[in-house]
Amino acid sequence: MTFDELPSPCYVVDERVLSKNLNVLKGVQDRTGGKIILALKGFAMHRVFSQIRQVLGGTTASSVNEARLGREIFGGEVHCYAPAYSDADIEELLPLVDHLVFNSVSQFRRYHDQVRSFEERPISIGLRINPEYSEVKTALYDPCRAGSRLGIRRNELDGVDLSSVDGFHFHTMCEQNSDTLERTVEKVEERFSDLFSGLKWFNFGGGHHISRDDYDIECLCRVIEGFQSRHGLQVYLEPGEAIALNAGTLVGSVLDIVPGESNNVILDLSATAHMPDVLEMPYRPVIQGAGEPGEKAHTYQLGGLTCLAGDQIGDYSFDQPLKLGDRLVFEDMAHYTMVKNTTFNGVHLPAIVLQRESGSYELVKRFGYETYRDRLS
Ligand SMILES: *Cc1c(COP(=O)(O)O)cnc(C)c1O
C-alpha cells in the first residue's frame, strides 16, 4: 500500500516514532530504577502492545475494561485508579489488578477488607492524594481546581488508619516538563511526608511529556532518584501521551470547497468525532505543509462532516489552492483520539494503519456500519 492508497480517513501510527519514544523512557528506567507503565486512557492500540511491552512493565487502567485489556493483551503489572468503583467493578477488578488505587477515604474503607481477603493474588492498595498544587492552566484538565473531586486532601487523612496502604498516587500534570514535577514533589513532601513511613511505592501519575524534544530528562532522573533515596520508595510514572507523542497522524481528504468569505472546506473527518481535544482543550492541530491563515497564498476554514455547527478544525493556509480529493495530514493524532472517538452522526471511525520499521503501511483495522450499529440498540 502506498500513501495514496491509504483509506481516508485513517490514523497512521508510526512504529519508528514509538521506538524512539520508548527508547527515551527506557533510558529513564535504566538510570533511575523508576518504573514506567502505559496509561491506557491515552493510547490503547493493542496491535502495538508487544512492541511497548519490550520496554514498559505494565499498564494503568481507569476502568474494568482497560484493566482487562492490560491483563489479557499487554501483560505485566496492571494498576487501576478510578474516581469511584462500584461493587461489581471491585469483583471484576480483583482478579485483574496488581495495584488498586482509591480516590477517597470512604471508597478505601468500603473495599479495603474485600481487597485484603482476596487470595488469588496479592493486591497493593494505594490512595490518590490531592496535593492542592498544580500548574495546569486549563480548568478542564486541572485535578487541583477548586472543589476538585479527584484525590484526597491532606486534612482528610488526619486520624485515618493507613496501616494497610502500600502507596500514594498523585496525578496533577498535563503535557508538562520535569521542572513542574520537581516543584510538585516538593509540595507533596512538605504536606504528606509524615505519612510515608509504611509505604512501599509512590506513583507520580501521568502528564510527563518525557519524549518531547525539549524535555529535561536530567531533572526527571534527579527527582526520581532523590525521592527514592530519601524515602526508600519505588517510584512509578504512568504517562499515556509520552508513549505515543508524535507517533501518529490522521489522514483525511477534501470533500467539498465552498468559496465565499470564509472559503469553507469540508473534510471527510470530524473534529468532534475524531479529534475531540481540538474542541475540548481547545487547540489547533498542525497540518503538514499548511500555515497560519494568510501566511500562504490560499486560506481556508477547515470543517468536519458532522452537523455540529462548531465542528471546525481551524483556519489554515496553503501554497496551492486545495482541490477535491486532496489529502491533509494532521500531526500528533495517535493519543487521545482512537480512545475517545465517537460515531456521532453515524460518521465512520477512521481506519487504523500501522507504518512499519521499513516504512511500509499495514492496514490494521477498518470500521463499518456494524461498529455504528452495535453500539446502539
Ligand atoms: C490521564 C491520566 C494519566 C495519563 O496522562 P497523560 O497526560 O496521557 O500522560 C495517568 N494517570 C492518571 C490517573 C490519569 O488520569
Side-chain angles (χ1 to χ4, degrees):
M1 212 174 8
T2 65
F3 177 80
D4 291 326
E5 290 163 351
L6 296 178
S8 180
C10 73
Y11 298 106
V12 181
V13 171
D14 191 333
E15 265 185 7
R16 297 164 299 187
V17 183
L18 275 177
S19 289
K20 183 174 145 271
N21 291 349
L22 288 166
N23 261 330
V24 176
L25 301 179
K26 182 174 180 338
V28 173
Q29 293 190 130
D30 290 349
R31 279 182 57 183
T32 64
K35 294 188 184 179
I36 304 180
I37 57 178
L38 166 67
L40 294 173
K41 186 187 82 187
F43 183 70
M45 179 176 167
H46 37 85
R47 178 68 173 70
V48 294
F49 278 3
S50 56
Q51 186 190 352
I52 301 174
R53 179 76 174 93
Q54 288 168 17
V55 173
L56 304 188
T59 56
T60 189
S62 26
S63 59
V64 173
N65 284 334
E66 286 184 354
R68 188 167 162 192
L69 194 73
R71 174 59 64 212
E72 290 183 0
I73 305 189
F74 195 98
E77 291 184 35
V78 178
H79 297 213
C80 190
Y81 156 81
Y85 304 107
S86 67
D87 294 353
D89 289 339
I90 295 290
E91 286 288 334
E92 289 188 75
L93 284 170
L94 290 181
L96 297 173
V97 301
D98 301 290
H99 284 207
L100 193 57
V101 177
F102 294 101
N103 183 60
S104 69
V105 172
S106 56
Q107 282 252 311
F108 163 61
R109 287 189 169 137
R110 180 170 171 83
Y111 293 115
H112 153 273
D113 286 346
Q114 194 181 343
V115 177
R116 276 286 163 262
S117 56
F118 185 73
E119 280 168 1
E120 275 169 53
R121 64 166 74 231
I123 296 175
S124 211
I125 293 183
L127 296 182
R128 175 167 176 171
I129 58 168
N130 178 343
E132 300 182 74
Y133 178 84
S134 97
E135 300 182 9
V136 177
K137 297 286 180 296
T138 313
L140 184 66
Y141 296 103
D142 181 8
C144 300
R145 61 202 264 174
S148 173
R149 73 193 195 293
L150 304 174
I152 304 168
R153 291 168 179 75
R154 177 62 186 84
N155 61 0
E156 298 172 74
L157 288 173
D158 287 337
V160 176
D161 176 6
L162 298 177
S163 55
S164 60
V165 173
D166 301 299
F168 280 167
H169 170 288
F170 70 79
H171 172 66
T172 58
M173 292 172 51
C174 181
E175 301 186 334
Q176 280 160 319
N177 213 315
S178 43
D179 58 322
T180 299
L181 177 67
E182 189 166 39
R183 289 186 289 271
T184 305
V185 164
E186 251 172 56
K187 297 282 188 245
V188 166
E189 288 180 315
E190 236 170 73
R191 289 171 194 171
F192 290 87
S193 59
D194 60 312
L195 305 175
F196 286 2
S197 59
L199 304 183
K200 300 191 180 78
W201 52 263
F202 213 105
N203 187 324
F204 291 171
H208 316 277
H209 239 190
I210 307 173
S211 46
R212 196 173 75 199
D213 286 341
D214 67 345
Y215 188 87
D216 186 348
I217 302 269
E218 292 304 315
C219 174
L220 174 67
C221 292
R222 202 168 63 232
V223 172
I224 297 173
E225 284 170 336
F227 191 90
Q228 291 188 147
S229 69
R230 277 192 301 283
H231 305 294
L233 299 173
Q234 171 70 52
V235 164
Y236 284 90
L237 304 182
E238 46 176 31
E241 190 159 327
I243 283 97
L245 190 65
N246 292 316
T249 57
L250 175 56
V251 179
S253 321
V254 174
L255 291 183
D256 197 12
I257 303 170
V258 189
E261 213 180 307
S262 318
N263 249 351
N264 274 303
V265 165
I266 313 288
L267 302 174
D268 62 353
L269 42 74
S270 157
T272 187
H274 304 146
M275 37 182 158
D277 283 355
V278 166
L279 302 181
E280 284 184 21
M281 186 94 172
Y283 81 101
R284 178 189 147 93
V286 173
I287 299 178
Q288 282 177 15
E292 296 294 319
E295 184 186 335
K296 296 173 183 263
H298 307 275
T299 296
Y300 301 91
Q301 176 171 280
L302 303 183
L305 84 168
T306 74
C307 299
L308 175 71
D311 192 357
Q312 296 283 9
I313 298 152
D315 293 355
Y316 294 83
S317 66
F318 300 84
D319 288 325
Q320 302 298 324
L322 289 178
K323 307 181 304 300
L324 299 190
D326 277 356
R327 292 194 156 202
L328 299 183
V329 179
F330 292 82
E331 297 275 9
D332 198 20
M333 285 291 165
H335 54 85
Y336 293 99
T337 50
M338 298 173 222
V339 289
K340 287 184 93 170
N341 59 20
T342 72
T343 55
F344 182 50
N345 274 225
V347 294
H348 277 313
L349 298 176
I352 296 173
V353 170
L354 185 61
Q355 188 165 17
R356 309 301 304 268
E357 273 319 323
S358 61
S360 66
Y361 296 104
E362 179 191 321
L363 179 63
V364 174
K365 189 142 186 167
R366 283 190 96 143
F367 302 93
Y369 165 66
E370 293 73 19
T371 308
Y372 167 71
R373 181 196 62 199
D374 291 347
R375 296 182 53 188
L376 299 165
S377 60

